Amino acid sequence: MKNTNRVMQSYGRCCASPGFFDDFYTTFLASSPAVREKFAQSDMAAQKHLLRAGILNLVLFARGMPDTKLRALGKSHSREGFDIHPQLYDIWLESLLQTIRQHDPELQQQDQLAWTEVLGKGIDIIKSYY
Ligand code: HEM
């Protein structure tokens, strides 16, 4: 199966699992004071909805969609914007993978590699705007 299809199916199972986005932010915020500092003033309920679409944008880009949305994310997260240092994306991805392992009951080793590869392409674009 193609990696992007593996990821779409796994993401479907995660979105159907109650608490997926709550648990992601619990893990991500617990991962580093630098992350907590960035979200200190944020409405986390709104942030969870935005993330749902954000992950989909990363997957759609890997499936061949133009990078327009990711370039916009790159600009909003750049040093002139939210100022998200490129290293923080490693923590983001590790927190996401940890949450996926908790919420996707059918996850296989190959699916985890697929997630890393598929999201990595889009994350590289976002980081490149820092
Ligand atoms: C805002 C997605 C990584 C911190 C946002 C927004 C989206 C988003 C869709 C809404 C605003 C906008 O559209 O620009 C993503 C995706 C990420 C990612 C898909 C991974 C590739 C990160 C990381 C951090 C971060 C690593 C580091 C802490 C923030 C902050 C905001 C934000 C502080 C503004 C929150 C507010 O409005 O108060 N992100 N983000 N993001 N993101 Fe990210």
Side-chain angles (χ1 to χ4, degrees), residues 55-118:
I55 293 175
L56 194 61
N57 282 324
L58 290 170
V59 179
L60 293 177
F61 168 68
R63 279 171 52 137
M65 218 178 68
D67 64 0
T68 324
K69 292 257 167 59
L70 299 186
R71 283 192 277 135
L73 276 178
K75 285 175 192 154
S76 70
H77 287 64
S78 72
R79 39 164 90 68
E80 286 82 37
F82 305 134
D83 191 15
I84 306 304
H85 193 276
Q87 279 174 353
L88 292 177
Y89 294 90
D90 297 342
I91 305 180
W92 183 93
L93 186 56
E94 197 35 63
S95 301
L96 187 69
L97 285 170
Q98 196 178 313
T99 315
I100 292 166
R101 285 193 287 271
Q102 288 162 4
H103 284 268
D104 178 358
E106 294 170 40
L107 191 76
Q108 295 168 6
Q109 183 66 31
Q110 263 187 301
D111 298 324
Q112 296 195 55
L113 296 173
W115 269 108
T116 305
E117 195 220 62
V118 166

Side-chain angles (χ1 to χ4, degrees), residues 24-25 28-29 34-44 46-47 49-58 69-70 72-77 82-93 119 122-124 126:
F24 166 74
Y25 276 110
F28 188 40
L29 291 173
V35 173
R36 287 196 288 284
E37 194 184 297
K38 289 291 171 194
F39 288 110
Q41 311 297 329
S42 301
D43 171 354
M44 293 317 282
Q47 197 59 31
H49 286 289
L50 292 165
L51 182 68
R52 181 185 283 264
I55 293 175
L56 194 61
N57 282 324
L58 290 170
K69 292 257 167 59
L70 299 186
L73 276 178
K75 285 175 192 154
S76 70
H77 287 64
F82 305 134
D83 191 15
I84 306 304
H85 193 276
Q87 279 174 353
L88 292 177
Y89 294 90
D90 297 342
I91 305 180
W92 183 93
L93 186 56
L119 296 190
I123 291 173
D124 284 347
I126 298 175

